[in-house]
Amino acid sequence: MRKKIVAGNWKMNLDYQSGLSLFSEIINMAKDEVIGNQELVVCSPFIHLSSLGQLSKNVANVNIGAQNIHQAESGAYTGEISASQVKSVGASHVILGHSERRAYFGETDALLASKVDIALKHDLTPIFCIGETREERESGAFFDVIKTQLTDGLFHLSKEAFASVVLAYEPVWAIGTGLTASPEQAQEVHKFIREVLADQYGQEIADNTSILYGGSCNPGNAKDLFAQADIDGGLIGGASLKSRDFIDIAKVFNG
Ligand SMILES: O=C(CO)COP(=O)(O)O
């Protein structure tokens, strides 16, 4: 059975104290209310990570992650943060390939491939994001776009290395727009992704890879999305900034 995961992406929100308060609420609610085998991951800004690492030390079902890392080991890269640095404060995950990083920071598939490598080297689980723009959806090119993102960003990995990767399908047109992919639209792409994985790495890897959906996911639509055969959880933006909403989304997997 592949892992069910609900990950929050706080993006560039929350000052230090507000982040700590939100995270404290999340772990308290998770202890009382999240009773299945699902895993929660909170991907905060770098400034919070060390403190969240302390707060979540003994909380089995809540992990923390970064939203980016640099591709080099260390060195003269002013303003950047390395994989080993985020690992050292307790992060277990890192979001890579988010469409905002691709669009606003020029992150290419080739750059992302090297970020994936350094993440895995430091035992960080990449939550690797893929997804098409509105134009690519409307032109019908989206299957090709997604296959290229997978191929160029990830398929240099060995089967053993790929087994540690989590995927997130985030159609760009659904991010922060309130416009969610329908469960059927999302399932169609998730199923396609799993077929591409099976071609590349075999059926067992394809069956064991968690593929999350992201894009205006909220407590109102999570149940129908997560009920789809190939959707294994969510990568949540706006709704992860409210403890009640984030926990309610995670509770869909309580069973
Ligand atoms: O980008 C996202 C998560 O990484 C999705 O953001 P929203 O849930 O705010 O649409």
Side-chain angles (χ1 to χ4, degrees), residues 83-99:
S84 69
Q85 287 175 322
V86 302
K87 183 72 190 178
S88 73
V89 292
S92 52
H93 290 68
V94 59
I95 297 172
L96 291 175
H98 194 281
S99 59

Side-chain angles (χ1 to χ4, degrees), residues 9 11 95 98-100 129 170 174-178 214-217 235-239:
N9 176 7
K11 306 193 180 181
I95 297 172
H98 194 281
S99 59
E100 289 152 15
C129 304
E170 296 208 316
I175 295 177
T177 55
S216 300
C217 191
L235 181 54
I236 319 298

